[in-house]
Amino acid sequence: MTASRDPDRLIHAFLGEGLDELPDPVYDAVRDRIETTRQRAVIGPWRTSDMNRYLKPGLAAAAVVVIAVVAFNLLPGAPAPGGGPTPSPSVSPSEAEPSTQPSTAAGLPEGPHVLFNFQSLEGASVQMTVTIPAPGWFGDWGSGILLKNDNPDPPEGSGMIVFAGVEDLYVYGDPCAWSTTRPDTPATTVDEAVAALAAQASRDASAPADITLGGYTGKAITLHVPDDANLADCDEGIFAMFQESAVSGVDGVSRYAQGPGQIDEVWILDVDGLMVVIDWAYYEGTPADDVAELRAIVESATFGE
């Protein structure tokens, strides 16, 4: 995988046309916020250890938004930052309130967990809540990511990532040669997105199947990364699946494989006119119990507050 983008470089690139430096409190806050910002243009929790390997890091657009907001709130004379709602204490599995606590060293508590909480500037929203069935699952509130034992990598890793509120999905024609096979026209519907994934080179795709999840209809497809794939031979060492229009990272990649042999169960739904892409992934060597827990988490999904 490529390394995370350097926050210092982002900050100085943003300031290249203006101030030469930020006040120390602003600079420190911006660096911290960039490291913990989600890939979408929505500010939220993001882990910087293993989880940032599950999605292509670095959003220039999000970084600019973060810099502007944090700098404004921390410059002398600026009003106190409002911020988001304060996370409430974690709840016991017997209570109905979803967890708002990030993973601890032992993982998330069993019970409801808000996996994704998307809100667009136009007012569209998608909140996805799942039930954590067993210990050992890691993820931050609203981040869209869950990992078993904090490990998405082969040969035994497993986890899931969700993209909600998707409008345009650019599915690369060849995941290894992705930089030259980005389509001119994006997929804008569930059927178009699944058809593009089914046609992706070297993925050994299953036939698409109709599904219903949380009361919403969609389609599921299973994709594979070849066991003998050498990711180092791919463009920038990345075996890329797609680019979401809301993500404008330097390389344009929203989702990429962790390694050879990865099995992607991709479920795509239409939730009130917005696509929700759920990619839950594992390997042949992933313990069967972990895969069963992962499936149970996906199938537990509900949408809405």
Side-chain angles (χ1 to χ4, degrees), residues 9 99 285:
R9 185 160 56 86
S99 169

Side-chain angles (χ1 to χ4, degrees), residues 51 91-95 97-104 106-116 128-149 159-160 290 292-302:
M51 280 196 184
V91 297
S92 67
S94 61
E95 295 178 298
E97 291 299 321
S99 169
T100 58
Q101 292 283 11
S103 298
T104 65
L108 290 165
E110 295 175 44
H113 171 71
V114 175
L115 181 61
F116 202 104
M128 179 177 174
T129 302
V130 296
T131 300
I132 306 300
W137 286 97
F138 290 77
D140 293 334
W141 187 97
S143 72
I145 291 177
L146 284 178
L147 301 177
K148 181 66 174 181
N149 298 322
M160 65 183 294
D290 292 352
E293 289 174 14
L294 184 54
R295 174 178 287 276
I297 290 172
V298 175
E299 293 179 343
S300 73
T302 60

Side-chain angles (χ1 to χ4, degrees), residues 11-12 23 35 90 107 181 192 194 221 226 241 253 264 271 276 283 296:
I11 293 169
H12 290 300
E35 290 288 354
S90 58
T181 61
E192 291 175 353
V194 171
I221 189 170
M241 291 179 62
V253 176
D264 292 281
V271 178
V276 174
Y283 306 88

Side-chain angles (χ1 to χ4, degrees), residues 186-229:
T188 59
T189 67
V190 172
D191 288 342
E192 291 175 353
V194 171
L197 288 170
Q200 203 168 46
S202 74
R203 298 310 304 271
D204 187 26
S206 68
D210 294 331
I211 59 169
T212 300
L213 182 66
Y216 293 93
T217 60
K219 290 187 178 294
I221 189 170
T222 303
L223 306 170
H224 300 81
V225 178
D227 292 336
D228 59 354

